[in-house]
Each structure stands twice: as structure tokens, then as C-alpha cells.
Amino acid sequence: MFRNVLIADSGKGHVEEMVRMLRDIPAVRAARINLLHVVPEQAGESFADQSQKAATIAAEAVQRLGLNPSEVNTIIRQGDTKQTVLKVADELNSDLIVMGSRGMGRLQSILSNSASQYVFQLSTRPMLLVRDDLYIRHINRVMVAIDGTGVGDDALKLACELVREIPGGSLTGVHVTRQDITPSRGGKSPADEVLEKASQRARSYGVELKAVHLSGDVGRRVCAAAEDLKADLLVIASQDRRPVVARGLVDIDRLLGSSVSDYIRVHAPAPVLLVREPEGRR
């Protein structure tokens, strides 16, 4: 499932609790853990002094996680946090980035230069975002947004692989259409067909999917469903464009426009695992 996990955390929030819960899942337990600490470029002290402090912070994090220090790859870099996280993830070929977030709104995130918002918007790799204002005791109820796309199938597969190894775990798939769809003569609507295919796909992975169809605004309905289900983890897919220019400049129109994934990032009542479409598939 995950072979190479990059944890980019400031030492605050609930990221460590989430990592511990993930490591309770056998398929995740074998993953290589990479712990990244970024020293700001404008740090007043020398890089050597900052690096020593960073090493201490990282060592304390490893201890709190109950990990063997020899099995953790600790990385200390100086630079801009958001750019460094993306760069290191590429260097390591990480298949999961884990970051904490203060749960700020979209405009507030831009104005405060939020690192997690930037990485969430621009990373082409799966990312688990854990907001500081959310506390999850354990991962049991997983919800996945079903959209019938190729990357949506990737998200469903990942959700199934997680739930399959959680004792008593459950998976709910929610498909949202902009408006109610009238069934065809055969009695099935396009939404019914999408959910039926998703259920069949889940069974092929050994998981029973509870399928739910809702109508309305996609982002709002997904978040409301996660609240109603008391989901411990929300898995979503995104096909949002990743313009090359946005590597150096935040994609403002997406952040302030109709990006469903960014709305969910801000408003979801559970940690969000975002699955991106692999670049090679486009």
C-alpha cells in the first residue's frame, strides 16, 4: 500500500497520533518512514545551530512515535517549507505525504502563506492532511468519494486496502451529483451504475462497500456526509490541473474558485487523504 512515507510536521497538532494509527495497519507498518524538518531560510541563528535544534525536535518525534531511530530516515533541510516538502517528496519518490494543518480558510491560507495548503494544492502525490482542530481516536469508519473516474478508482482501491486490514473497519462510498437524476427505463440512473460498479470493484478487493447517492453541491454534500457518518478518514480523488507556473506561484483561480478538493480540505470533519491522478496517465 504505502512503501515510502514522508512526514513533514512542525511537531504540533495531531499528525503523530495519525501516524501511530496508520502504523497499526499491517500494510502500512512495513513502510519506510522519512521525517522531514525544514529550517527557515530567514532563521537568525546559524544553520548549524538551527540544525542541532531540528535534530533534537526530530529525535523527540521519533521517540513519541515509538519508532526505532535506526529505522527512521531523518532529513533536515534549510529553505522554504512548502517548496522543500515537494522537492524532498520527489527525491524520495514518496507514495504518501503526511502534513498537519491549522484548518484555515482558502483566502486566509493564501495570505498566511500556508505550507500545507500549498502542498495540498500542488503535490502530484497522495497526501494525508491532518487538521489541528480535529482529533481522531482511531481509524475505523472510512468514507470515500466515488466519482467514476480513473483517479476515483485509485482512491477507492486505496480506501479498500486500508479498510481490509482494519478489524471491524467499514467503508462507505458517497457519489454526489449536481442534481437528482431520473432513472432510465431499466430502473437505474447513471449514479446507480457508478455506485454499482464501485461496489463490485470493492468486492474484488475483499471489502463490502455501503453505497450512498446524494445530490447538490459536491464539496458541501461530501463534508455533510462525512459528518453524518462520523467518518474517521475521508479519501477523495482530484483531477485538478497542476499548471507548471504554479510551481512558483499559487494557483489563485483554483483556490478561490470551484476546487472541490480545496473546499473539502477546509471543511471536512475528518482527516483527508487526497489521491492525485498520476502524471503519466494524462
Side-chain angles (χ1 to χ4, degrees):
M1 189 190 311
F2 297 125
R3 299 176 302 279
N4 206 2
V5 177
L6 175 61
I7 305 171
D9 183 38
S10 62
K12 300 178 181 178
H14 300 306
V15 170
E16 291 176 4
E17 287 93 338
M18 178 57 67
V19 172
R20 277 195 291 269
M21 285 184 277
L22 285 174
R23 284 181 59 81
D24 285 339
I25 301 172
V28 182
R29 194 176 302 144
R32 173 69 166 168
I33 299 297
N34 303 278
L35 184 60
L36 172 64
H37 189 93
V38 181
V39 177
E41 291 178 320
Q42 67 272 21
E45 298 176 283
S46 68
F47 177 65
D49 291 337
Q50 287 288 326
S51 295
Q52 184 58 49
K53 290 182 179 180
T56 300
I57 292 172
E60 291 173 349
V62 170
Q63 185 176 22
R64 287 193 299 270
L65 286 167
L67 301 174
N68 184 336
S70 65
E71 297 177 353
V72 178
N73 178 29
T74 300
I75 305 166
I76 299 173
R77 294 283 180 87
Q78 185 175 37
D80 177 77
T81 300
K82 53 187 180 293
Q83 295 282 2
T84 303
V85 170
L86 292 171
K87 182 179 180 181
V88 172
D90 287 342
E91 290 175 0
L92 298 173
N93 194 24
S94 299
D95 46 24
L96 179 66
I97 301 172
V98 184
M99 289 189 75
S101 167
R102 286 173 287 174
M104 296 182 293
R106 288 175 288 180
L107 180 58
Q108 187 181 3
S109 293
I110 295 171
L111 296 176
S112 66
N113 202 24
S114 167
S116 60
Q117 174 271 331
Y118 183 96
V119 175
F120 189 89
Q121 180 69 10
L122 296 182
S123 176
T124 58
R125 301 172 183 277
M127 178 182 180
L128 175 59
L129 192 67
V130 185
R131 291 214 321 261
D132 291 355
D133 58 341
L134 295 175
Y135 176 70
I136 304 298
R137 299 181 64 179
H138 53 264
I139 301 175
N140 184 271
R141 295 178 294 271
V142 178
M143 176 179 146
V144 59
I146 304 293
D147 62 13
T149 65
V151 67
D153 289 343
D154 292 341
L156 174 59
K157 180 176 184 290
L158 181 54
C160 288
E161 289 174 340
L162 283 168
V163 170
R164 191 171 56 202
E165 299 201 12
I166 300 174
S170 64
L171 180 62
T172 300
V174 175
H175 179 57
V176 181
T177 53
R178 297 289 181 180
Q179 56 188 6
D180 289 323
I181 302 175
T182 304
S184 63
R185 291 182 179 180
K188 290 184 180 179
S189 69
D192 293 330
E193 294 175 357
V194 167
L195 287 171
E196 185 175 306
K197 289 180 180 178
S199 296
Q200 292 173 353
R201 192 175 180 85
R203 288 191 197 99
S204 73
Y205 297 126
V207 175
E208 284 298 318
L209 178 75
K210 178 183 178 182
V212 177
H213 173 220
L214 302 171
S215 61
D217 179 85
V218 178
R220 288 177 172 79
R221 293 295 274 162
V222 166
C223 290
E227 180 72 41
D228 292 341
L229 294 167
K230 295 181 172 51
D232 304 311
L233 179 66
L234 174 56
V235 184
I236 65 173
S238 175
Q239 302 177 77
D240 287 352
R241 61 184 174 85
R242 305 266 74 78
V244 175
V245 66
R247 289 293 179 176
L249 183 66
V250 174
D251 194 6
I252 298 294
D253 65 314
R254 277 289 175 180
L255 294 176
L256 299 181
S258 59
S259 172
V260 172
S261 61
D262 198 66
Y263 180 90
I264 293 173
R265 171 189 71 83
V266 175
H267 298 284
V272 177
L273 176 52
L274 177 72
V275 179
R276 292 284 190 199
E277 183 174 17
E279 290 184 322
R281 185 185 293 168
R282 300 178 191 184

